[in-house]
């Protein structure tokens, strides 16, 4: 359900999959599911001016709260090459799946990058850049995000 009359956008390309259970999207948000990509969303809501860009796969669990101006993006869209090496053994694929578990709270202006798994019941602090997995029931924060508290819950 789209709330308010301010423009937002939803783009689902050819051969892409969008599977949504019960998720509210507020004004100004943009969701792009690119060709062949998969976006699966359980329940919860995404606040104003958020972006979800899917090139591979993004899965969002149930009872997930995504605050204002959050970016969730499973691709860099570019390959970074070490020009000094014949083969860059540490190079990651351009796109890697993102999985956000059930009952996760993502704070304002947070960014969740490719290949990240966010564990159930976790909290991502405002302004964080998440480029590594987040254990269940932890609070992470910072740039890059690090565990700042364990054994957390929220309501």
């Amino acid at each position: 359900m789209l709330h308010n009359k301010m423009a937002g956008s939803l783009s689902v390309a050819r051969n892409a999959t969008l599977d949504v259970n019960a998720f509210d999207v507020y004004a100004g948000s943009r969701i792009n599911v690119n060709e062949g990509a998969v976006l699966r969303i359980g329940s919860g809501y995404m606040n104003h001016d958020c972006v979800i860009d899917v090139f591979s796969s993004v899965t969002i669990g149930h009872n997930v709260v995504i605050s204002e101006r959050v970016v969730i993006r499973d691709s860099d869209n570019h390959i970074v090459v070490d020009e000094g090496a014949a083969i860059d053994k540490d190079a990651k694929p351009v796109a890697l799946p993102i999985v956000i578990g059930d009952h996760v709270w993502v704070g304002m202006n947070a960014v969740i990058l490719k290949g990240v798994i966010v564990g159930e019941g976790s909290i991502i602090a405002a302004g964080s850049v998440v480029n590594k997995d987040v254990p269940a029931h932890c609070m992470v924060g910072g740039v890059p995000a690090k565990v700042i508290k364990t054994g957390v819950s929220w309501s």
Side-chain angles (χ1 to χ4, degrees), residues 83-102:
E83 292 181 5
I87 299 173
D88 189 351
K89 295 177 184 172
D90 295 326
K92 289 184 178 180
V94 172
L96 289 169
I98 293 172
V99 177
I100 298 173
D102 294 341

Side-chain angles (χ1 to χ4, degrees), residues 14-63:
R14 182 177 324 169
N15 299 320
T17 300
L18 174 60
D19 179 10
V20 181
N21 187 344
F23 198 76
D24 290 341
V25 176
Y26 287 81
S29 292
R30 180 174 53 105
I31 299 173
N32 297 311
V33 187
N34 292 280
E35 189 168 344
V38 176
L39 174 58
R40 289 188 179 10
I41 303 176
S43 62
Y45 69 89
M46 181 168 73
N47 217 319
H48 303 282
D49 301 320
C50 294
V51 175
I52 298 177
D53 278 328
V54 187
F55 293 85
S56 172
S57 171
V58 172
T59 302
I60 298 172
H62 290 277
N63 194 28

